[in-house]
Amino acid sequence: MSLLQLSVLGLASFAAAQTQYTSTASSAVAKAAATALTLSPTSNVAGNKFERFVQIFLENTDYSKAIANTDLAYLATQGISLTNYYAITHPSQPNYVAAVGANTFGVTGDGFTRIGSSTQSIVDLLEAKGVSWSVYGEDSPYSGFEGNYVNQKTGASDYVRKHNPVMSYDSVTSNLNRLAKSKNFTMFNRELAANQLPQWMFITPNMTNDGHDSSIAVAGKWARGWLTPLLANPNFNINRTLVVLTFDEGTTSGTNQVYSVLLGSAVPAAKVGTTNNTFYNHYSLTKTAELNWGLGSLGQNDVSASAFF
Ligand SMILES: *[C@@H]1O[C@H](CO)[C@@H](O)[C@H](O)[C@H]1NC(C)=O
Ligand SMILES: *[C@@H]1O[C@H](CO)[C@@H](O)[C@H](O)[C@H]1NC(C)=O
Ligand SMILES: *[C@@H]1O[C@H](CO)[C@@H](O)[C@H](O)[C@H]1NC(C)=O
Ligand SMILES: *[C@@H]1O[C@H](CO)[C@@H](O)[C@H](O)[C@H]1NC(C)=O
């Protein structure tokens, strides 16, 4: 069958799962928002050091600039400030890919990328052990959306595929139950209120709040303003919750050292307000989850990475 025949068939009947939710036409978005599967899994798998792992990525700022921001400096005093943490590469997308797969898998750009379905990510390891997971991207129009979206009033970019760590993996996008766990902040807030958040989360604010199309001042203010009530909310900061707030990458002229802080109830009281100069990078994210829940490994750069705990 030719590619043309395949795409005609796809349009007519069965669009491939990996691309079926990319249209931004308002009718297509409305239809998908009304019909696309959304899932809110929960679980209670005991961890060695924590019961919940929350990873939050901000955008494109060198460590020196981020730590000089008043709000991020404040947050650094509320947990363990990681003073030797590095992003993997440039630009954004391969850093997000690396955060869940422990490898960039040859991704070197920010364009629409698909990594073959035989490539696993942390999602496979979490599911094998029954650890619930979800990805939350602010302003994604519906669960499982696979494209880029703009603010419908201003036309400004708000949700982007390249900042969704699981979207490049066919092993996620070919599975409707997995797509259904790539959600927006409406769903996050609903699950928070219902005490139905999962054990493993990855959170990406929109292109304003993550600093990408704004400034470190906006991103810092967002991070402090968003996290402060959550850290006081028992539905979020359950006993032994570990939050990692970091940046996808630094600027291309820097060393790629990025700001990173460990927050939440899993941080021992005696370590609140301390720094840790151990070398960490985005591969530490997979390693930390793997050691905590006995997940095994992806056999990638997670094997030699250092865990936070
Ligand atoms: C968020 O996703 C849900 C589930 O798909 C959808 O019903 C809702 O309209 C979305 N919220 C916004 C603000 O787009
Ligand atoms: C990002 O979200 C904030 C609310 O959290 C909103 O004020 C802002 O307009 C959004 N940015 C875009 C580009 O839509
Ligand atoms: C939190 O969990 C630890 C270890 O399981 C336990 O010792 C402690 O009492 C718990 N604290 C609260 C407030 O539930
Ligand atoms: C820093 O990390 C190392 C390696 O995991 C660990 O051995 C050490 O206890 C940590 N120190 C603090 C203050 O958290």
Side-chain angles (χ1 to χ4, degrees), residues 40-48 50-52 126 129-133 195-200 238-241 292-293:
S40 302
T42 60
S43 57
N44 204 4
V45 180
N48 293 320
F50 50 87
E51 316 307 334
R52 174 172 279 167
L126 291 167
K129 291 281 179 181
V131 179
S132 52
W133 67 274
N195 198 13
Q196 276 182 355
L197 287 170
Q199 288 191 273
W200 183 103
I238 57 170
N239 195 10
R240 301 206 311 166
T241 293
N292 186 59
W293 284 298

Side-chain angles (χ1 to χ4, degrees), residues 25-300:
S26 52
S27 56
V29 169
K31 185 176 174 210
T35 55
L37 185 64
T38 187
L39 292 173
S40 302
T42 60
S43 57
N44 204 4
V45 180
N48 293 320
K49 303 281 183 177
F50 50 87
E51 316 307 334
R52 174 172 279 167
F53 191 36
V54 184
Q55 302 144 91
I56 306 166
F57 269 34
L58 301 174
E59 276 282 315
N60 301 358
T61 308
D62 292 329
Y63 175 77
S64 55
K65 191 171 175 185
I67 198 68
N69 169 266
T70 316
D71 292 313
L72 294 172
Y74 165 79
L75 287 175
T77 66
Q78 301 303 297
I80 303 174
S81 180
L82 304 180
T83 51
N84 199 15
Y85 187 115
Y86 286 79
I88 304 297
T89 184
H90 300 290
S92 289
Q93 186 159 256
N95 286 292
Y96 287 83
V97 163
V100 297
N103 200 314
T104 57
F105 296 114
V107 176
T108 55
D110 278 337
F112 192 102
T113 294
R114 286 178 55 182
I115 299 165
S117 58
S118 62
T119 300
Q120 294 202 325
S121 72
I122 193 76
V123 161
D124 296 273
L125 303 186
L126 291 167
E127 288 187 355
K129 291 281 179 181
V131 179
S132 52
W133 67 274
S134 288
V135 170
Y136 300 92
E138 186 174 20
D139 292 329
S140 166
Y142 57 88
S143 301
F145 177 67
E146 296 166 307
N148 297 313
Y149 208 56
V150 299
N151 182 307
Q152 299 298 292
K153 290 199 182 84
T154 65
S157 180
D158 52 17
Y159 170 83
V160 288
R161 175 185 169 102
K162 66 181 177 177
H163 294 170
N164 183 322
V166 297
M167 238 357 122
S168 300
Y169 290 86
D170 275 4
S171 53
V172 170
T173 56
S174 60
N175 181 327
L176 290 177
N177 287 320
R178 290 180 172 179
L179 271 184
K181 296 172 202 164
S182 175
K183 295 172 279 189
N184 57 31
F185 277 23
T186 311
M187 291 302 300
F188 175 87
N189 289 325
R190 196 176 296 171
E191 292 166 7
L192 175 70
N195 198 13
Q196 276 182 355
L197 287 170
Q199 288 191 273
W200 183 103
M201 295 177 231
F202 193 102
I203 293 171
T204 312
N206 73 21
M207 292 284 272
T208 311
N209 291 332
D210 71 6
H212 187 280
D213 291 349
S214 57
S215 62
I216 190 62
V218 169
K221 190 171 178 219
W222 176 83
R224 182 175 176 173
W226 195 74
L227 276 170
T228 300
L230 288 174
L231 292 171
N233 186 334
N235 286 1
F236 177 84
N237 198 9
I238 57 170
N239 195 10
R240 301 206 311 166
T241 293
L242 180 63
V243 178
V244 187
L245 172 68
T246 188
F247 285 75
D248 71 326
E249 57 172 333
T251 60
T252 48
S253 57
T255 61
N256 231 1
Q257 186 186 0
V258 289
Y259 170 100
S260 193
V261 61
L262 303 178
L263 299 163
S265 58
V267 174
K271 288 196 176 172
V272 169
T274 64
T275 60
N276 190 319
N277 201 42
T278 308
F279 173 80
Y280 294 116
N281 61 20
H282 292 329
Y283 300 137
S284 303
L285 298 168
T286 45
K287 181 72 165 205
T288 299
E290 289 163 8
L291 288 188
N292 186 59
W293 284 298
L295 303 179
S297 94
L298 292 165
Q300 305 292 338

